[in-house]
Amino acid sequence: MKKFYAFVFMIAFVFVLAACNGEDGEGQEASGEANGGDDAEVYKIGAIYSKTGPNNPLGEPEWNTTELIVEEINAAGGINGIPLEVILADDESTQEKATQEMNRLIHDEEVLAVLGSSGSTESLAMKGIAMEQEVPLVSAAASIQVVEPVEESTWVFKTPQNDVHAVENIYMYLEDEGIEKIGILTDSNAYGESGREQLEAMAEDYGIEIVAKEVYNMEDADMSTQLTKINSSGAEALITWGTNPGPATIAVNMKDLGMEIPHVSSHGVANQAFIDLAQDAAEGVVIPTGRLLFPSEIPEDDPHYEVISDFYEKYTDKYDSEPTNFASYGYDNLMLVVDALEAGATDRASIRDHLENNITDWVGTSGTFNMSSEDHNGLDTDSLVMAHVKKGKWQFLK
């Protein structure tokens, strides 16, 4: 009989213990403190970038930068003595894979925040999950739709300059050049659509008339048909909006067709891959871009000189190649979350609050960030400059 009561007591104890553990687990998940909090043994962050697929020229430098920063932080003792772990995932440049990895990182890995993705289409797919699960998302995509409308983006932030900033710089350049009539050729994806919207919305403010509007698909191998229509429209310049390989293909097609009007593209092609793909057809193409594209031309009194120079040196030493503006997005994405963790924001909600309320005059590689409840990007028009391809290289357009 004593053995029976002892057995019953043990069973009851196990159930009580399981119930207590279940309550603790539920509280941890609700507060977003899984892999965080004051007693954390490691700060676990997720990062989804396009390591493969069409967006590889964007995602690979972001991926490399993340590995570089994590290695450096942990070699220096971690964040306030706690190691940093970033779980990297490749979305293969598809929104399906991006959402799959987003759910895995949130539910299986229980990360504190997610970085990425490289493209606007993928980031917009991840945005809905971030909002539903209340997990901070810091995107490396340019589309303004990633963080607007702000009331539908309370858990979402981004570091690339908005397409609004890029259009403003392009239209100011066209004003200076005396160009009033343009044709636009934009990618059919989310990034291209967002750029097209801003080009159309802001044209009148700068005295620009859009005389031709054409669209292409990322996988298209030739855009000669669209270009022929634009060439006969009276356009004085062509504006393209997309990421490689599309704009590079357009540059080659323009040369083959003998088109001599200026070609201005978006900051989506601010990398060496565009020049490699377009080769001599890239000569003369103009873009808005961040300063990391030509670090040697940044004056020492520029507030971004130190952070860009330091990052450029470390990246080139480790990878034996130059970082691009996309590497700068990877840098700012992670360092903004690191800033929150260093300040004691160690759960999902406090990281979100820190990014919204405490990022003021924060100097990154993409510009100086001033985030608020009305602005989850925090950059302005001056975060971009104009560049052109000259003698096979991107050069600052003075």
Side-chain angles (χ1 to χ4, degrees):
M1 182 63 70
K2 289 181 180 179
K3 290 182 178 180
F4 174 80
Y5 285 122
F7 176 77
V8 172
F9 175 79
M10 289 176 64
I11 293 297
F13 177 78
V14 169
F15 276 109
V16 170
L17 183 62
C20 290
N21 286 342
E23 290 173 3
D24 287 345
E26 289 175 6
Q28 187 179 51
E29 184 176 349
S31 66
E33 292 183 355
N35 303 304
D38 296 335
D39 58 349
E41 296 181 357
V42 62
Y43 291 138
K44 189 184 289 189
I45 306 298
I48 303 172
Y49 291 125
S50 301
K51 188 73 158 55
T52 60
N55 283 338
N56 163 263
L58 289 63
E60 186 166 7
E62 293 160 352
W63 187 290
N64 291 345
T65 298
T66 304
E67 291 184 328
L68 172 66
I69 294 173
V70 172
E71 180 181 307
E72 181 180 7
I73 287 174
N74 288 332
I79 299 172
N80 300 327
I82 298 175
L84 173 65
E85 179 184 359
V86 177
I87 302 172
L88 281 156
D90 177 13
D91 66 16
E92 301 171 4
S93 302
T94 70
Q95 59 182 331
E96 292 80 12
K97 186 66 172 178
T99 55
Q100 177 186 331
E101 292 293 354
M102 183 74 169
N103 281 310
R104 180 180 70 84
L105 291 172
I106 292 172
H107 299 296
D108 297 344
E109 300 293 349
E110 297 183 323
V111 296
L112 293 171
V114 178
L115 315 176
S117 178
S118 309
S120 295
T121 301
E122 295 75 23
S123 291
L124 287 169
M126 293 160 58
K127 174 180 178 176
I129 301 173
M131 291 295 295
E132 180 181 350
Q133 299 298 322
E134 297 187 343
V135 177
L137 172 66
V138 187
S139 172
S143 172
I144 195 171
Q145 297 171 1
V146 173
V147 291
E148 289 191 6
V150 67
E151 60 271 15
E152 298 176 9
S153 313
T154 50
W155 287 85
V156 186
F157 304 83
K158 76 184 203 70
T159 57
Q161 299 86 353
N162 283 326
D163 30 27
V164 170
H165 304 142
V167 172
E168 287 176 336
N169 275 274
I170 289 172
Y171 280 170
M172 288 188 290
Y173 167 77
L174 295 179
E175 275 189 321
D176 291 342
E177 295 295 308
I179 293 172
E180 298 179 346
K181 295 182 179 182
I182 64 170
I184 62 175
L185 181 51
T186 57
D187 199 323
S188 60
N189 64 14
Y191 176 63
E193 289 178 0
S194 184
R196 181 190 184 98
E197 289 177 4
Q198 301 309 321
L199 286 165
E200 292 176 344
M202 300 167 64
E204 186 176 351
D205 294 340
Y206 290 87
I208 298 293
E209 180 185 0
I210 302 176
V211 296
K213 303 174 186 178
E214 297 292 333
V215 177
Y216 69 91
N217 297 314
M218 182 180 289
E219 64 273 14
D220 289 350
D222 187 277
M223 289 75 157
S224 297
T225 300
Q226 297 97 314
L227 288 171
T228 299
K229 293 178 181 178
I230 291 171
N231 200 32
S232 62
S233 69
E236 299 167 343
L238 170 67
I239 313 299
T240 58
W241 213 275
T243 57
N244 294 312
T249 301
I250 292 169
V252 173
N253 291 160
M254 287 183 69
K255 182 179 180 181
D256 292 342
L257 291 170
M259 292 178 64
E260 297 181 353
I261 61 174
H263 177 186
V264 183
S265 198
S266 74
H267 50 326
V269 299
N271 53 26
Q272 183 61 36
F274 172 79
I275 298 175
D276 293 342
L277 289 168
Q279 299 185 14
D280 57 350
E283 194 73 11
V285 172
V286 175
I287 61 167
T289 177
R291 292 166 173 80
L292 186 60
L293 202 59
F294 21 72
S296 62
E297 297 187 52
I298 303 173
E300 292 189 16
D301 59 354
D302 187 297
H304 309 93
Y305 173 81
E306 185 175 346
V307 64
I308 289 178
S309 298
D310 180 65
F311 171 56
Y312 181 86
E313 181 179 352
K314 290 175 179 176
Y315 189 100
T316 52
D317 285 347
K318 182 173 179 62
Y319 297 108
D320 195 29
S321 64
E322 293 184 319
T324 65
N325 285 333
F326 303 103
S328 73
Y329 307 151
Y331 179 96
D332 293 337
N333 276 7
L334 181 51
M335 291 307 295
L336 281 167
V337 175
V338 168
D339 187 270
L341 293 169
E342 289 177 338
T346 57
D347 61 73
R348 291 170 176 174
S350 62
I351 290 172
R352 190 217 77 86
D353 292 346
H354 181 90
L355 294 177
E356 183 175 274
N357 301 316
N358 298 100
I359 301 301
T360 303
D361 294 330
W362 191 91
V363 178
T365 55
S366 301
T368 299
F369 291 83
N370 288 282
M371 292 189 181
S372 69
S373 58
E374 286 78 39
D375 186 355
H376 278 197
N377 176 226
L379 294 174
D380 58 22
T381 305
D382 291 338
S383 60
L384 290 169
V385 295
M386 298 301 290
H388 64 162
V389 179
K390 185 176 181 180
K391 297 180 179 179
K393 293 183 178 180
W394 288 115
Q395 296 187 24
F396 178 57
L397 187 59
K398 297 180 177 61

